[in-house]
Amino acid sequence: MTALHDVQPAPTGGLADGFGRVATDLRVSLTDRCNLRCNYCMPAEGLDWLPTDQTLTDDEVVRLVRIGVEDLGIREVRFTGGEPLLRRGLSDIVRRTTLLRPRPEVSLTTNALGLARTAATLAEAGLDRVNVSLDTIRADVFAQITRRDRLHDVVAGLEAADAAGIGPIKINAVLLRGVNDHLAPELLAWCLERGYQLRIIEQMPLDAQHSWSREGMVTAEEIFASLATAFTLTPDPDHRGSAPAETFMVDGGPARVGVIASVTRPFCGDCDRVRLTADGQVRNCLFAREESDLRAALRGGASDAEIADRWRLAMVTKRPGHGIDDTTFLQPTRPMSAIGG
Ligand code: SAM
């Protein structure tokens, strides 16, 4: 008997899935290590980090990104982690990515520790945009959430990114009940004063400790209610497209705030993202339970065309939605820090 995969032609072209979505936005994790210990992300003692020999080298990362851009229609590349600033070759990887054609937009998601030192080099390497994670501007609450007293470093990193002309600067915040949820208006006011765009993200079931609960998370409705105590929010007339954030005009605009309601208002139908982990596994969804091993192909001597085929095939099984609300939902084995947020 012929197996189904023997009779189906291998997909060609870009990274299309079975539901008509095409991935053009690649999130690349450069390391699973982090120098913060946000309590909603990982335990105080950290995690078992990937061994060096399993982590893609700079050349391997750039080769996969090149195949993505040249052969598979990737138009945006975001480097993340773990903490991508911990990756020694980051500026070189950024520079080599910006030399690809068509030139992709290149951005970074970071906690900004060390950005004060590296922002100018990254800007020179061609980095277009940065998203900085910052859940509060109160030093004591920051230390409580991250288990590190480093708020001053984040603020210095943001100022350096701004001075280096990397922009627009977006701030990503997660609200935790009873910890910083009542501080959302203060954080928004701080961002507005500095021209940073705040996006508040619903907490997702991706923590290493598996302690997330639907009842415990702060919902988009609660986020709106909290912000409405100090600001008037009106829907953004601009088209949202595939952006994860639903944006609102603040006090009539032009300033905006975004809410990423992955749990209560999922946007999977418009998803255009695909992820590559630091050890070279393609994930077609943050919540995927299967991965496709591109590192083995790379190190086994596969050609660019063979790697591109394997990557296209990895998209075919992308599910229509993340399924958090399904009774059969199982949290992925890898936590957010090892997938690349
Ligand atoms: N270290 C970098 C940083 O801090 O931006 C990149 C990796 S970090 C995992 C990326 C983002 O994921 C951060 O904004 C963090 O707050 C967020 N995050 C971590 N765990 C999360 C969860 N369970 N739900 C929602 N966001 C989460």
Side-chain angles (χ1 to χ4, degrees):
M1 193 175 150
T2 316
L4 190 58
H5 61 260
D6 288 336
V7 293
Q8 278 185 336
T12 52
L15 294 172
D17 66 35
F19 298 92
R21 297 166 296 190
V22 179
T24 54
D25 178 346
L26 172 62
R27 309 282 164 110
V28 183
S29 173
L30 292 177
T31 177
D32 59 340
R33 291 167 198 250
C34 195
N35 40 12
L36 293 181
R37 293 286 180 274
C38 301
N39 54 29
Y40 57 88
C41 189
M42 63 171 76
E45 65 276 17
L47 297 166
D48 290 333
W49 313 122
L50 281 172
T52 309
D53 64 330
Q54 288 181 28
T55 306
L56 296 183
T57 63
D58 294 0
D59 285 347
E60 287 172 332
V61 169
V62 174
R63 181 171 174 209
L64 289 181
V65 172
R66 178 178 58 72
I67 293 170
V69 170
E70 290 181 353
D71 301 336
L72 297 169
I74 292 298
R75 294 294 169 259
E76 288 178 58
V77 180
R78 171 176 297 280
F79 294 109
T80 178
E83 176 43 51
L85 290 177
L86 294 177
R87 176 91 181 209
R88 200 173 306 198
L90 175 64
S91 59
D92 193 46
I93 293 173
V94 166
R95 186 182 54 78
R96 293 166 71 187
T97 302
T98 63
L99 294 175
L100 299 173
R101 293 295 175 268
R103 185 201 190 282
E105 184 182 75
V106 183
S107 58
L108 189 68
T109 297
T110 174
N111 62 27
L113 298 189
L115 191 57
R117 240 186 6 262
T118 51
T121 311
L122 288 167
E124 216 170 288
L127 184 71
D128 296 306
R129 295 193 295 110
V130 68
N131 283 14
V132 170
S133 302
L134 179 62
D135 300 331
T136 176
I137 45 140
R138 296 210 180 173
D140 56 335
V141 182
F142 182 93
Q144 182 190 350
I145 295 173
T146 66
R147 302 187 177 105
R148 300 288 186 271
D149 186 13
R150 304 287 299 273
L151 176 66
H152 51 285
D153 289 314
V154 179
V155 174
L158 280 164
E159 289 169 356
D162 211 4
I166 303 171
I169 293 176
K170 292 187 181 168
I171 303 286
N172 289 342
V174 174
L175 298 187
L176 306 170
R177 197 177 298 290
V179 179
N180 64 341
D181 53 342
H182 60 298
L183 300 174
E186 173 187 271
L187 179 61
L188 176 55
W190 188 87
C191 291
L192 293 175
E193 274 168 30
R194 287 159 182 80
Y196 307 151
Q197 296 178 16
L198 175 65
R199 294 135 38 105
I200 302 181
I201 309 172
E202 280 184 345
Q203 192 187 353
M204 296 177 275
L206 287 170
D207 55 313
Q209 308 91 307
H210 289 231
S211 60
W212 178 91
S213 77
R214 182 95 197 198
E215 304 68 44
M217 64 166 278
V218 177
T219 63
E221 281 309 314
E222 292 172 291
I223 295 168
F224 293 131
S226 173
L227 294 176
T229 60
F231 300 96
T232 303
L233 302 186
T234 45
D236 186 342
D238 286 354
H239 183 54
R240 176 178 177 183
S242 58
E246 202 176 333
T247 51
F248 297 85
M249 315 291 286
V250 181
D251 292 341
R256 292 168 166 81
V257 64
V259 176
I260 303 184
S262 316
V263 178
T264 63
R265 304 182 186 196
F267 36 86
C268 303
D270 292 318
C271 179
D272 65 353
R273 286 170 287 286
V274 59
R275 291 165 200 275
L276 181 65
T277 64
D279 56 343
Q281 311 297 307
V282 166
R283 298 179 60 91
N284 59 28
C285 171
L286 250 184
F287 295 93
R289 299 195 50 79
E290 304 84 32
E291 300 180 336
S292 297
D293 190 355
L294 294 191
R295 186 191 63 202
L298 271 177
R299 296 188 180 171
S303 66
D304 286 1
E306 285 164 342
I307 289 171
D309 278 346
R310 189 178 282 225
W311 198 335
R312 286 187 194 99
L313 264 181
M315 303 307 292
V316 173
T317 53
K318 180 162 173 157
R319 290 179 301 146
H322 57 44
I324 292 175
D325 281 332
D326 298 351
T327 48
T328 54
F329 175 76
L330 281 176
Q331 189 171 326
T333 320
R334 283 192 204 244
M336 178 78 132
S337 59
I339 296 171

